[in-house]
Amino acid sequence: MSFTEITPTAAIENARHGGRAKCLQRLIRLDMPVPRTVALSFDAVHGISAGDMPDLGAMLALFGPDPLVSVRPSSEDPDWGGPGAILNIGMNDAVHSKLTKTHGEKAANALYLRFIQSYAVHVGRLDPDEFEAFSTSSPDALHAALALYEEETESYFPQDPKEQLAEILRSMARAWEGTTARLLRQAKGAPADAGLGLVVQKMALGVGQSTCGSGVIQFVNGQTGYREIRGRYLCKSQGRDALSDAEDRDVMYLTKDPRGRSIEEVLPENFSNLLKYGDLCRTRLREEMEIEFTIDNEELFILDAVRVQRSERANVRIAVSLANDGIISREEAVLRIPPRALSELLHSQFDPKDKRDRFAKGIAASPGAATGKIVFNARAAQAMAAQGENCVLVRSETSPEDIRGMHAAKGILTVRGGITSHAAVIARGLGLPCVVGAQDLSLDRKQRKLIAGDGREFAEGDVISIDGALGVAYAGAVNMLPPELGEGFQTLMAWVDEFRDIGVRANADTPPDAHNARMFAAEGIGLCRTEHMFIDDDRLLAMREMIFADHAEDRRAALDRLLPMQRADFTELFEIMQGLPVCIRLFDPPLHEFLPHGREGLRELAEALDLHLRDVERRVDGLREFNPMLGMRGVRLGITVPEIYDMQARAIFEATVEASKSGDPVVPEIMIPLVSAKREVEMVKARVDAVAAEVRIETGSDFTYRLGVMVETPRAALRAGEIAQHAAFMSFGTNDLTQMTYGLSRDDAGRFMGEYVAQGVYEEDPFHMLDADGVGELLKMGATRGRDANHDLTLSICGEHGGNPESIRFCRDAGFDYVSCSPFRVPIARLAAAHLALEGRVRDHGLED
Amino acid sequence: MSFTEITPTAAIENARHGGRAKCLQRLIRLDMPVPRTVALSFDAVHGISAGDMPDLGAMLALFGPDPLVSVRPSSEDPDWGGPGAILNIGMNDAVHSKLTKTHGEKAANALYLRFIQSYAVHVGRLDPDEFEAFSTSSPDALHAALALYEEETESYFPQDPKEQLAEILRSMARAWEGTTARLLRQAKGAPADAGLGLVVQKMALGVGQSTCGSGVIQFVNGQTGYREIRGRYLCKSQGRDALSDAEDRDVMYLTKDPRGRSIEEVLPENFSNLLKYGDLCRTRLREEMEIEFTIDNEELFILDAVRVQRSERANVRIAVSLANDGIISREEAVLRIPPRALSELLHSQFDPKDKRDRFAKGIAASPGAATGKIVFNARAAQAMAAQGENCVLVRSETSPEDIRGMHAAKGILTVRGGITSHAAVIARGLGLPCVVGAQDLSLDRKQRKLIAGDGREFAEGDVISIDGALGVAYAGAVNMLPPELGEGFQTLMAWVDEFRDIGVRANADTPPDAHNARMFAAEGIGLCRTEHMFIDDDRLLAMREMIFADHAEDRRAALDRLLPMQRADFTELFEIMQGLPVCIRLFDPPLHEFLPHGREGLRELAEALDLHLRDVERRVDGLREFNPMLGMRGVRLGITVPEIYDMQARAIFEATVEASKSGDPVVPEIMIPLVSAKREVEMVKARVDAVAAEVRIETGSDFTYRLGVMVETPRAALRAGEIAQHAAFMSFGTNDLTQMTYGLSRDDAGRFMGEYVAQGVYEEDPFHMLDADGVGELLKMGATRGRDANHDLTLSICGEHGGNPESIRFCRDAGFDYVSCSPFRVPIARLAAAHLALEGRVRDHGLED
């Protein structure tokens, strides 16, 4: 049988007939008044495009004499699109005459004209503008439309309903298989062989007495997720006409309304049935549905029902509400929220309705929206913030010196850099909107101007807006919607934590970061970078003195001035984290990052250090590196200038003693960066242990700590077996590991990564999506070798990939203990982790009944 | 038995009694007149230091009544050192009286005084200066020495020979086990538990009638390796006294000499016996030995024989001569030459006797010696060379722009950079002496001065000398010895090639390189870098136009100007290599390397390209990279700017057709650099294949070529399985692979590598010695995965490690087809490969009889 009438017991399947056919069967099972409907399977439709037409005579006979029918698409996923519905198939001169008698000429004309228009445009492929010009239901319009059709096609308008239906089915089947439609649906995730089903339904005309018409109704607000009756009803209309904005139509309100008639008042029985059907959908289909209906002479017909379109915040509230009402399980509520969708809730967003004037496109580096005045340097950002003004920091690229300015700004826009550039990483940590690598922009430093690709110029103080989720910058201000962390979100996240089975920590460097980490219920800090602690004005000079010192004692003296400040930093972090683990990465960047650039800065430094300018220049020049990424940093610095790590270890241990006095005992974790050989770990460990022993004696307090390594070099992964013998934990820094595995600097990759991904050289930007084949193999190798050597080894990932659902799956499969990511990605990571744990445990996904 | 008399049948073993004891047994077996000798094994000596003294009465009884004996060290390898010999043990007042009667008072005094001196210094640990001041053999000196001994030790000089011997043995045993001696011998490769044997030999006094005395004789010139009798004989002397330079001694010449008496004339029988014994050593011990002998009243005693000390060039000539005379096999001749020792033959060297005035120490980057006038830039070097003057190019660091200057210079000295910096790599390729990273130097660019760490200043034109094998720079000129590639060398290398079973190619970029490759019998070019082909003045401008072009057509037009030059480059290379394989690496470096630095250069460029300075600055700035090593280069450039590879492929194919007309057909190999994903290979291959098809049609000639990849990123090694499906060969670029595996830039590693190796963080500099554990695992993984996917895959290594014996072993074990290295390392690589093939096949190593 090449078509199937949809009855409660017919064999209708989502995967064979599409979602619409399946949904209609469900409505029928729930005894809703659905007009008789026939489903054509994917195979049948594919057969039609290949010339194999079903027995349409037999099909039409099901609908009674002279039936009018509609055809609608029914793909497996409604998002994949499909041809538009065609109504009133079967209209011809004879039916027109008959309807003129039963419903009046105007109604008959309207139905016939509408069909001719659809047929001419969708089957005959004639000019829509010409046919849609016939807008009245006058006899002249109908005749003119028929004449135009005949002139353009050199044939009469088909009068045989079988022929009409056959042409329509063939046209829809072929359109689905065309290249444009295929590319469009593949872009939405459809597989290459996605099928199209069709449903043929008897028309409920909706063109009878004055209240006849059609409408849509939903019982929830798609923006907010709160329960509320919404919809439109238009008299003398069909299909989804009610949703069009035409002013001259004959509207009826759904609920009582001072502005005019309402179904609730005029057709109370129909109204109460609509409410009943809505409730049935919610409780039995377990979803908020929008119902499409027709009322024909006070008889209600349910034509279709689709899932209510909704914002992500509404989606959360609806899922929580369904679970709270016992309609779905909590597991299913959790599974209904795509992890990445949470991003919309966590950040402010531009009002989608507001107008925008885009002047630059870059890389979407940190989500959220910001509007503010342009500032070109960190100092200006701080000054602006001090006056209570919002500003957007615009830089060629950012460096550690800009950190305070970044804190002060509402958003960041850079001309250079990629998804893991300094600006991007810091912005994500701060939850600040950030657009990087907007390469069509240029900065005129002398004139203090930002020049757009189209020649427009922006001066300091001009207002711009950036959308970090889209990677776009707009001229002027744009209205904003605030983030949404309401009750629904909190309830959902509490359930999430019941289900997930892999830990989630936050990368947090500063007290604000740590507060964010706690706000998003991170289970500790997985990566605390300590570099920023050397940047503040008063610290920077001590740091520079240390760099310029010739002897270990002088270095130590300079570092001694930093010790109390570092200790205070750590104490504050430990107090905020209240006994949760805090993993501190020892000093990592190359020393030259702490030296000034430019002649003026060098001169000031010479003055401050009481040295000749030439000596300063020579020293600065001597520290310059060809490839700083691969140079003297991390543990290499820790071993060559051991006083730095000594000071940091002391600060950590003294802070541990201090913080443990007032709260839960703290167990700090100390992480050694950029390890490539086990001896590096042994040597640092020996010194750190010695410092711990000293502090224990000096303070008379005992404490424990864990020492581990950051695995960032391929060699550390390869040699994990011997390295793990000296480490309590290994945390994979997938940023650097990706850079080294590919031989690809994250900061320089921007120049060709776009093209590389577009051409399919790399399937994905490996800094965005963990490269499971290459970098992933090193991760697995490192994890296996490490655990084999040390069964108690804690394994984690702390790179930018840590918050990606795909990476979390990878880490969970590889037996990792936790992932660590920017605070603002923590909820996404928690939700993704819960999804993984629930995978397979819960089959039930809403409409799948 | 804790001591063993050395007889022909005694159980004396090198590994238990040391080399000297074993050699003495061989001399005894050859019926040479060796005085009675006793050997103490390693265990026995170790026992002595622990207090377990052998029965010295029994031992001394072997030597007859009132014997005088000597004790000499006998370690397993003579290079490991040991305590100095002590002679005349047994001297006391009684023997002194007896000898006064038989040999006269002077002789008796001399013997006794000598013994007192030795004993006081080595056993009593008294001040050598005080005791060695007693230089005459007067009775007063003797008594004064005895008195001093008694005063210093507060005891009489021991009279009991057993006590004397016991103290001496104990002193020697303990000295061997002291820390200083242990560290010294470990530095020479001795294992931690290396043992010391001792030999106790009856003295042949050499203090009788006027011709009595002692001497050494050898039958070969240790500098040249040519056969020639050399040595010294001193009347009334003992031990190796003859070798001291004292003027007042009573010398006899060995052979007839107009200057005085000779053994050949005065003691002809002794002389002919010496010749006989020398010949016996050569034919039966299969080595050129230096014989230590004493003639006592015309009776010849052979006290000892040691391998003649020799230069590496002499070593080659001796081995070849022994093999040519049928004394040793060719295999053994080959095995007797340590591969690295060939370096001395291949480069000129400073005369070791000449004085030097060192002013700087850096890293030994390319061996050889050079003297010349200082020049500070490439242009000056070319100008100086044009005038026929030798010059040394002194730079802070070199860049591709300096190449022509490097060609013109006799040597290169840089302040910055490591063992694999640009200067070092290029210099090794050219066979130029090079010292890099001489960090105590500084350059004053404005004053055009080089300032040494000690404050000395050198101006342009001042003469300096550099030793690239030692990494040292000297003020002024030093006499030079030329390289030695004579008949001995050529014969040996011919044998080498019979034995080895892994290929050796050369890295060669230019025609001079290629000539060197052929001179050293490389089996082809394993790595031809093409960057230099874009540097020459006329090419650089076209290259820069290409970089600044906005459209593919403009790029192509600029590249079209380079095409004929590249084609000529390749044609010349192919013609020099005469049908041997030439593996050409497609363009690799980042484009910014081809742009000028500094304002003046930018201005000139703007002029040449007819652009505004600001546009040029902006473009140059836009191409700047944070980590050029990990940036837009190699295949990334090839895919983003495909016109470059198109042009290069065309030049290669057209040159192939051209060169094949006049000689053997050429099969070029095209290598894609910096691959990290298989799609990169597929895409380049598609374009290269297309160019080949075009050239075939245009020229009407057929040709074949092979396309492969350079494995430089860890990811390429990990994904070798899929990459090899599209590649005919994989060549491991271990420089870059090491950099990425360690996350360590070769150019920046210099700053801490010294300290890292000194502290044992890394056992070796991984750029110097292939890291078998980490990088090596990636090599093996890549090789295995590649071969599994493609059984015909050719595997090779072409990094700086290619010429290292350790790397060659690694590659041979991993089943590689060939190694490729600098032309000047090709002979070393060939020899090392032969050693590996012979390993196990030949047990016979010279003295091992």
Side-chain angles (χ1 to χ4, degrees), chain A residues 27-47:
Chain A
L27 303 181
I28 289 166
R29 285 179 179 162
L30 295 172
D31 284 332
M32 295 191 202
V34 177
R36 181 166 275 195
T37 309
V38 157
L40 288 158
S41 68
F42 301 164
D43 285 347
V45 174
H46 184 66

Side-chain angles (χ1 to χ4, degrees), chain A residues 637-657:
Chain A
L637 205 54
I639 283 177
T640 322
V641 189
E643 298 79 20
I644 303 176
Y645 283 7
D646 286 354
M647 183 278 285
Q648 290 199 299
R650 172 169 287 274
I652 292 168
F653 295 136
E654 290 179 355
T656 301
V657 172

Side-chain angles (χ1 to χ4, degrees), chain A residues 397 416 442 444-445 614 618 621-632 635-636 639-640 674 676-677 679-680 683 713-716 718-719 739-745 747-748 751-752 755-756 759-762 771 773-775 777-778 781 785, chain B residues 397 416 442 444-445 614 618 621-632 635-636 639-640 674 676-677 679-680 683 713-716 718-719 739-745 747-748 751-752 755-756 759-762 771 773-775 777-778 781 785:
Chain A
E397 66 220 14
R416 293 161 53 89
S442 59
D444 186 328
R445 267 175 242 160
R614 181 184 289 191
R618 198 184 298 177
D621 199 52
L623 284 171
R624 195 160 53 87
E625 293 188 303
F626 296 97
N627 294 285
M629 176 73 220
L630 306 177
M632 171 87 156
V635 69
R636 293 162 193 165
I639 283 177
T640 322
L674 208 70
S676 64
R679 186 92 187 95
E680 291 169 328
M683 291 172 72
T713 68
R715 195 172 192 280
L718 292 166
R719 305 307 295 164
Q739 299 192 71
M740 291 171 192
T741 305
Y742 275 89
L744 184 53
S745 152
D747 292 319
D748 300 311
R751 195 166 299 143
F752 60 92
E755 194 147 348
Y756 248 52
Q759 292 194 34
V761 186
Y762 296 159
D771 160 45
D773 291 340
V775 178
E777 184 175 4
L778 287 175
M781 210 181 271
R785 293 178 181 186
Chain B
E397 67 220 11
R416 293 161 52 89
S442 58
D444 185 330
R445 266 174 242 160
R614 181 184 288 191
R618 197 184 297 176
D621 199 53
L623 284 171
R624 196 161 53 85
E625 294 188 302
F626 296 96
N627 294 285
M629 177 72 221
L630 306 178
M632 170 86 156
V635 69
R636 292 163 194 163
I639 282 177
T640 323
L674 207 68
S676 64
R679 187 92 187 95
E680 291 170 328
M683 290 173 73
T713 67
R715 196 173 193 277
L718 292 166
R719 306 306 296 163
Q739 299 191 72
M740 293 171 191
T741 305
Y742 276 89
L744 184 53
S745 153
D747 292 318
D748 300 312
R751 195 166 300 141
F752 61 91
E755 193 148 349
Y756 248 53
Q759 292 195 34
V761 186
Y762 296 159
D771 160 44
D773 289 341
V775 179
E777 183 174 6
L778 286 175
M781 209 181 273
R785 292 177 181 187

